Amino acid sequence: MPYDVNLSLLFTELPLLERPLAAADAGFDAVEFWWPFGTPRPDPRDVDLFVGALSFAGVRLVALNIYAGDLAAGERGVLSHPDRAGDFRAGAEAAAAIGRATGCRVFNALYGNRLPGVDPAVQDVTAVRNLAEAARLMPGATVVVEPLNALENPDYPIRTAARAIAVCDRVREVSGHTGVKLLLDVYHLLTGGDDVPAAIDAYAGRIGHVQLADAPGRHQPGTGRLDVDDLLRRLDRAGYRGHIGLEYRPLGPSAESFGWMRGA
Ligand SMILES: O=C(O)C(=O)CO
């Protein structure tokens, strides 16, 4: 199973545009990013610089988060926010264009926190409508729904693999799109107390992307309670053949955080 390195959490010692080359120097040929721009409508020159940095480094972009609002301020996506449909659509269009330029085929649409004073059912309908729209804008691509743990994301309603799969089911029911799948983020599921092995067995074939970090701490495997060998065996048995994104905050320098891979 191929690994890719998440350059929003690793190599943050370096400016964003220098990280792809650092990943290549560390031996990776594939990378992923959270939305790398401050706005859903990035300046085309910034997009060109981003795509150019990937191409200069010779690494493939294999997964990208769609614009998710102001993460530093606590936002966790705008997918389910009725008043942000324009931002979601603009971000999805920009992500689709980056997909065409780079070959990226996996796009993560963070669901968004519950909004005070807004009926949760209205937020859920908005999310399903926006997911169907994203799937339409990105033919042939996979749009993934990510559960986040409630300890760090108390207002985020998608906390388990089952809940994310229910959202995917609803998109299929109302729009016929089958390309909306689960993002199996092992760190978030472990931290939230979900049963990761059971989720892999139950949703084999519906996993659009996997991300890896140990828990607690969100550091590299080997620093917590994650049994990485068992995880890899289960994913293999379940027929998962996509990338595994290393989405951890390294303990120590990023380039020295890959020792665990030798044994895994
Ligand atoms: O916000 C997070 O923790 C994520 O994993 C986003 O993809």
Side-chain angles (χ1 to χ4, degrees), residues 166-177:
V167 175
C168 304
D169 286 344
R170 190 75 192 120
V171 175
R172 181 159 45 184
E173 274 162 33
V174 303
S175 71
H177 286 296

Side-chain angles (χ1 to χ4, degrees), residues 241-258:
R241 295 292 176 264
H243 278 84
I244 298 186
L246 308 184
E247 195 198 32
Y248 57 75
R249 293 198 171 85
L251 272 184
S254 297
E256 291 169 24
S257 73
F258 304 117

Side-chain angles (χ1 to χ4, degrees), residues 130-222:
N130 281 336
L131 281 168
E133 178 67 0
R136 195 187 64 75
L137 286 169
M138 300 167 169
T142 301
V143 180
V144 287
V145 179
E146 178 177 22
L148 300 182
N149 76 77
L151 289 176
E152 294 162 314
N153 309 278
D155 299 323
Y156 189 89
I158 309 298
R159 298 174 176 180
T160 61
R163 186 81 168 79
I165 287 286
V167 175
C168 304
D169 286 344
R170 190 75 192 120
V171 175
R172 181 159 45 184
E173 274 162 33
V174 303
S175 71
H177 286 296
T178 54
V180 180
K181 295 191 173 178
L182 167 68
L183 197 174
L184 188 100
D185 184 313
V186 173
Y187 166 73
H188 281 298
L189 295 179
L190 269 180
T191 304
D194 208 3
D195 185 337
V196 179
I200 294 172
D201 295 345
Y203 306 124
R206 303 192 66 189
I207 300 174
H209 189 52
V210 175
Q211 290 174 328
L212 198 59
D214 216 324
R218 205 174 196 173
H219 302 306
Q220 55 267 47

Side-chain angles (χ1 to χ4, degrees), residues 60-84:
R60 255 185 333 130
L61 182 68
V62 295
L64 178 66
N65 279 15
I66 299 173
Y67 172 75
D70 185 349
L71 296 181
E75 289 192 300
R76 290 292 179 270
V78 295
L79 181 73
S80 62
H81 293 190
D83 59 339
R84 305 284 289 282

